[in-house]
């Protein structure tokens, strides 16, 4: 477990040991509760809420940085999903072409 703390740069985290030992199960559980289309929308809503909250005080560079973060977070979620499908612990979507 100490090696994982080093990987996480000694930042406080609340990752259960089960997920440290088997990260695939965490990804599986995440996508069981949050399908990709809903996840994209939730991330976009979080960005809009942040923007509304800080639009009076936010610097354009902060807005740009947050927009980039939003896009990269969506990309990260999508790549995580693809990994789960390729590794076989997430079901293939119904509309995915057969290999």
């Amino acid at each position: 477990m100490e090696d994982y703390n080093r990987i996480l740069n000694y930042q406080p985290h609340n990752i259960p040991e089960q997920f440290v030992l088997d990260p695939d199960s965490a990804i599986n559980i995440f996508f069981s509760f949050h399908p990709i289309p809903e996840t994209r929308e939730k991330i976009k809503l979080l960005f809009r809420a942040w923007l509304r909250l800080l639009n009076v005080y936010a610097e354009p560079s902060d807005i740009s940085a947050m927009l980039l973060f939003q896009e990269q977070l969506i990309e990260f979620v999508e790549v995580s999903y693809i990994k789960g499908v390729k590794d076989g612990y997430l079901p293939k979507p119904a509309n995915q072409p057969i290999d």
Side-chain angles (χ1 to χ4, degrees):
M1 191 73 173
E2 287 182 26
D3 290 340
Y4 296 107
N5 284 333
R6 194 174 313 114
I7 290 170
L8 294 169
N9 198 22
Y10 295 100
Q11 299 297 320
H13 62 84
N14 60 356
I15 300 172
E17 187 172 352
Q18 157 197 353
F19 294 158
V20 171
L21 299 174
D22 182 19
D24 294 343
S25 66
I27 294 172
N28 186 15
I29 290 170
F30 177 85
F31 287 113
S32 295
F33 287 103
H34 308 284
I36 287 284
E38 291 175 20
T39 301
R40 283 187 202 113
E41 287 306 309
K42 288 176 184 178
I43 292 170
K44 290 176 183 177
L45 284 172
L46 285 171
F47 174 73
R48 284 189 224 136
W50 174 84
L51 192 58
R52 286 185 184 142
L53 181 67
L54 297 177
N55 68 355
V56 175
Y57 305 106
E59 295 292 325
S61 60
D62 292 338
I63 294 171
S64 295
M66 189 59 107
L67 186 56
L68 178 61
F69 177 76
Q70 171 197 334
E71 293 301 319
Q72 289 178 325
L73 184 58
I74 290 171
E75 186 177 278
F76 176 76
V77 167
E78 290 171 345
V79 169
S80 297
Y81 184 79
I82 290 168
K83 179 189 181 317
V85 171
K86 282 186 173 184
D87 290 352
Y89 57 86
L90 287 175
K92 290 184 178 182
N95 61 353
Q96 180 177 346
I98 299 174
D99 298 332

